[in-house]
Amino acid sequence: MADNARAKRLADLIREVVAQKLQRGIKDPRLGSHVTITDTRVTGDLREATVFYTVYGDEEERKAAAAGLESAKGILRSEVGRAAGVKFTPTLSFVADALPDTARTIEDLLDKARASDAKVRETATGASYAGDADPYRKPGSDETDDTAE
């Protein structure tokens, strides 16, 4: 079992090598400049690596990029093996990163909250409190006190 620092260094190396190879070495039109490698994670035994990526574009371009990454997996793994110099080159699996979708969902929820706050603020302007300014009875006031009998 490798230590976490070694797995982290290997993950960083894999991310850099894959990103550079996608930018300069792969001539697949499905993997143009709109694919970005966001993160890489390596298992503790250094046998498997998960590469997270995002694609700038619509759903069709995302599917094409996923197919392009699957077809280039062997080339990318051999390039990682050359750069890493480890006994066993980790197998690569590519996963579309959910971060942009999550960020978009959070932004939509924040916009709804802002609109709701504006509506409440608009309703509150010019409104008055329910009841008197001081709703509590005070001893010695003009009102009759039922407990004094």
Side-chain angles (χ1 to χ4, degrees):
M1 194 81 163
D3 60 349
N4 286 338
R6 184 172 179 199
K8 177 73 173 133
R9 283 193 312 267
L10 184 60
D12 290 343
L13 178 72
I14 290 171
R15 186 180 68 239
E16 290 175 16
V17 168
V18 169
Q20 287 176 356
K21 191 69 176 173
L22 285 177
Q23 187 178 17
R24 295 189 188 118
I26 306 275
K27 302 221 183 330
D28 192 342
R30 299 175 290 186
L31 300 174
S33 61
H34 55 275
V35 176
T36 303
I37 304 300
T38 56
D39 193 19
T40 306
R41 295 186 185 147
V42 178
T43 58
D45 60 356
L46 306 179
R47 295 281 181 164
E48 297 175 13
T50 305
V51 180
F52 294 93
Y53 68 94
T54 59
V55 179
Y56 181 73
D58 59 356
E59 190 62 34
E60 183 179 311
E61 289 176 348
R62 290 181 189 143
K63 288 179 182 177
L69 285 170
E70 284 299 314
S71 70
K73 189 183 285 190
I75 296 168
L76 293 171
R77 184 173 181 222
S78 64
E79 191 67 27
V80 166
R82 242 183 257 120
V86 291
K87 183 176 181 180
F88 180 82
T89 303
T91 57
L92 301 177
S93 61
F94 293 95
V95 176
D97 198 353
L99 186 66
D101 295 333
T102 305
R104 195 172 307 114
T105 303
I106 290 173
E107 283 297 323
D108 291 344
L109 290 173
L110 287 173
D111 287 342
K112 279 184 184 178
R114 284 186 197 106
S116 175
D117 286 349
K119 186 185 233 183
V120 167
R121 205 174 302 116
E122 181 180 310
T123 305
T125 19
S128 62
Y129 292 104
D132 296 329
D134 189 9
Y136 301 104
R137 286 192 287 176
K138 297 186 174 80
S141 63
D142 293 347
E143 297 177 15
T144 59
D145 194 8
D146 293 339
T147 60
E149 293 181 10

